[in-house]
Amino acid sequence: MPSYINGIDTTLITGLGQIGVGGGSAPIVYPSGGLVVSSGVYKPSLVLINGLTPPTGSSYFYSRIQRMDSASLGTSTWTKIVSNDQAFYLLSSSGELYSIGINTSYTSTGKTNTLAKVTTGSNGWTDIAAGQSFAIGICDGKLFALGINSNGQFGRGDTTSIFSGVFTVVNNNTFWTKISAGSSFSIAMSGSGGSGSIFSAGSNAAGRTGQNTATGNTLTFTQPVNFTGSVFTDISCGDDYALAISNSIIYGTGENGDYTLGDGTTTDRNTFGLVSSASTFTRVFAFTDFSKAIGTTGSHFHTGDENNTRGDGVGGTRLTTWTQLNTASAAFSASWSNFFGYHLSILTPGVIGINNNRPYYIGTSNTEAEWMPSSSWGQYNQTNTTTWTPFVSGSPNVTCSAAAFAAGPGGITEPVLMLQLLPIS
C-alpha cells in the first residue's frame, strides 16, 4: 500500500523540477515545489492576491487557472493549504509556512500579492488551520495563532485578538499534533503516531465544542465531555459543528439542521456522540451543510445537504445518514484519499476530490467552473455539476497535493481557489 501526504502518493513528490505547459512552446520551469495556481472572481478595487490585473474595461476579474508567484521551495512540496476571508496559508513538507493575503494583520509577512515565508518558528511547522478571520497552527509542537479571538478560540484563557501580523504562541505545551478550526472554535489533538486525545476551545453555540453546553465560551483547551482518555485518529471542524473518528467510528457534535452529523435527525448535539458505525472510517471532512468521509477501502461516504456535491449524479435528494456513494465508474466508487472544500458559511463553492491521486470537482452554482480550462478571458460558467469532472484539461497527467477555498480578499462573496498541481512521474 502506498503512503500519502494530504492525499498524494509520496512516491510522486520526489525529484520534481518542471511542468510543461502549453502547445509547442518551451516548458516553463517552476520551483521544485510544483505549480501553485489560483482562480476565482475578484473586485478590481482590491489588491488581487495573485498579483494579476483585470482585463481593460472589466468590472470583475474572470480568471482561468493562473500561476501564482511562488518562492522556491527546494525539494519541498506543499502538503496543506488553508484559507479564510483574509489570507491563504501554505504548509510545505520541509516544515515551512507561507502566507498571502490582503490584510497584513493576517498574513504575518506584510505581503499582499506574493507568497512569503512566515518567519515565526522557521521550519518547525507541522499543521495549520483557518477559521473565520483567524488562523491557528502547530510549530515545534506548540500552538500559534493570529487574528480574531473574540470567543476564546485560541484556547489561551482570554478573548484578546492578535492583530500584530505575527503568529504568537497561545499554548506552550509541545505535544500538539493536529489542529482544525470552525467559524469561532478550534479542536486540537495531542498524542503521537497519528492518534491521540482531542481538546476544544471557543464558542459553545449549538454545542460545537462538545462541552455539554450550547451557551458561552470555552476559553482554554478542554477535553470534550465523556471523551477523557479516548483515542482519536482524525478531526474536522465545519462552520458550527465538528466530527471525529475513534476506533474507525464517526462521532459528532454541534449544529445538525442539515443532517451534517448524519445520525438521521436534525437535532443539535452538545456532546460528541456516535453518528455512524456503518463502515470502518479513516478520514472525515466537515464542510458547511454537508459532510464527507473515506472508508478503509477508499470508499466515499456523504451526509447532509448540498445534493450537487454528492458526486453520484443524483440531485434533489438530501442524505440524512452516512451513505456510501457509488457511480457508474468503479474508479469513483473507491480509491479516494482526500476532499477539499470551504468549511465556513461565507460561501459553499463545491468540492475537490482526489481519486487515484488525480483532482476532480463537483459543485452547485458553479462559480468554481473557473477551474475548467479556458483559452481567453470570458464570463464564467454557472452550470451545476453533479458528477466528478476532470479538474483541468490533461488531469490524467497531474496530481493535486493540496487545495483551499477563500471568500476572496476582504470577504468578497465570490469564491477564490488555490491549489498545487504536480506532474505524474
Side-chain angles (χ1 to χ4, degrees):
M1 292 292 293
S3 60
Y4 293 90
I5 296 178
N6 277 66
I8 184 171
D9 187 334
T10 54
T11 63
L12 302 179
I13 64 174
T14 58
L16 302 176
Q18 291 186 344
I19 297 179
V21 178
S25 59
I28 299 174
V29 179
Y30 293 106
S32 298
L35 169 62
V36 178
V37 295
S38 171
S39 76
V41 183
Y42 303 87
K43 295 288 180 64
S45 59
L46 296 173
V47 175
L48 306 179
I49 66 170
N50 62 355
L52 300 174
T53 56
T56 302
S58 174
S59 60
Y60 282 85
F61 178 76
Y62 300 101
S63 169
R64 61 187 177 94
I65 298 298
Q66 299 286 346
R67 179 192 172 193
M68 296 281 300
D69 289 332
S70 175
S72 176
L73 295 178
T75 59
S76 299
T77 186
W78 304 118
T79 58
K80 192 171 187 180
I81 304 175
V82 299
S83 61
N84 52 31
D85 59 344
Q86 302 293 334
F88 284 95
Y89 303 93
L90 299 88
L91 182 65
S92 81
S93 60
S94 60
E96 297 174 308
L97 183 65
Y98 287 75
S99 63
I100 181 172
I102 188 172
N103 193 324
T104 57
S105 297
Y106 293 88
T107 60
S108 186
T109 62
K111 302 291 184 180
T112 57
N113 62 355
T114 57
L115 291 171
K117 183 179 177 180
V118 173
T119 56
T120 303
S122 186
N123 298 342
W125 291 91
T126 55
D127 202 6
I128 185 70
Q132 183 62 63
S133 299
F134 76 96
I136 186 166
I138 300 172
C139 183
D140 297 324
K142 303 175 183 180
L143 290 179
F144 287 74
L146 178 66
I148 291 177
N149 184 41
S150 56
N151 296 103
Q153 52 264 50
F154 293 168
R156 191 174 56 176
D158 58 42
T159 57
T160 302
S161 300
I162 301 173
F163 295 128
S164 61
V166 178
F167 275 95
T168 303
V169 175
V170 293
N171 190 295
N172 272 306
N173 292 320
T174 58
F175 48 62
W176 302 107
T177 59
K178 188 177 292 188
I179 188 73
S180 186
S183 60
S184 57
F185 72 109
S186 305
I187 295 182
M189 180 185 293
S190 70
S192 61
S195 63
S197 302
I198 58 174
F199 299 77
S200 61
S203 171
N204 299 320
R208 65 193 71 180
T209 57
Q211 298 294 344
N212 199 30
T213 179
T215 61
N217 300 314
T218 298
L219 298 183
T220 59
F221 278 108
T222 305
Q223 284 193 281
V225 174
N226 299 328
F227 275 91
T228 300
S230 297
V231 176
F232 292 85
T233 53
D234 199 25
I235 53 175
S236 183
C237 294
D239 188 46
D240 45 18
Y241 71 103
L243 301 171
I245 294 178
S246 179
N247 293 319
S248 302
I249 295 172
I250 299 177
Y251 294 83
T253 190
E255 201 278 329
N256 193 29
D258 292 297
Y259 299 97
T260 48
L261 299 183
D263 62 357
T265 78
T266 55
T267 303
D268 296 350
R269 289 175 178 259
N270 291 342
T271 61
F272 276 95
L274 186 151
V275 293
S276 183
S277 57
S279 180
T280 51
F281 298 97
T282 59
R283 300 290 307 277
V284 68
F285 307 88
F287 296 118
T288 47
D289 44 12
F290 66 98
S291 308
K292 290 185 177 293
I294 296 174
T296 53
T297 61
S299 49
H300 166 212
F301 294 79
H302 181 102
T303 186
D305 211 348
E306 293 295 320
N307 52 71
N308 286 320
T309 58
R310 286 171 50 168
D312 58 355
V314 179
T317 303
R318 174 186 287 181
L319 295 176
T320 62
T321 60
W322 289 97
T323 304
Q324 183 173 341
L325 297 182
N326 299 307
T327 66
S329 170
F332 294 105
S333 298
S335 302
W336 296 98
S337 57
N338 215 331
F339 293 106
F340 301 100
Y342 206 62
H343 66 284
L344 302 175
S345 61
I346 298 174
L347 75 157
T348 54
V351 180
I352 300 171
I354 309 300
N355 187 293
N356 284 313
N357 291 321
R358 297 165 188 174
Y360 299 85
Y361 74 87
I362 49 177
T364 186
S365 299
N366 196 21
T367 304
E368 71 273 18
E370 289 297 322
W371 312 341
M372 294 189 293
S374 173
S375 59
S376 62
W377 300 108
Q379 298 291 317
Y380 60 89
N381 189 347
Q382 288 286 348
T383 303
N384 294 341
T385 302
T386 61
T387 57
W388 295 105
T389 305
F391 192 84
V392 291
S393 96
S395 63
N397 301 313
V398 299
T399 67
C400 178
S401 66
F405 297 90
I412 296 174
T413 57
E414 293 87 352
V416 177
L417 165 75
M418 182 187 289
L419 72 157
Q420 177 181 3
L421 300 179
L422 301 174
I424 289 181
S425 57

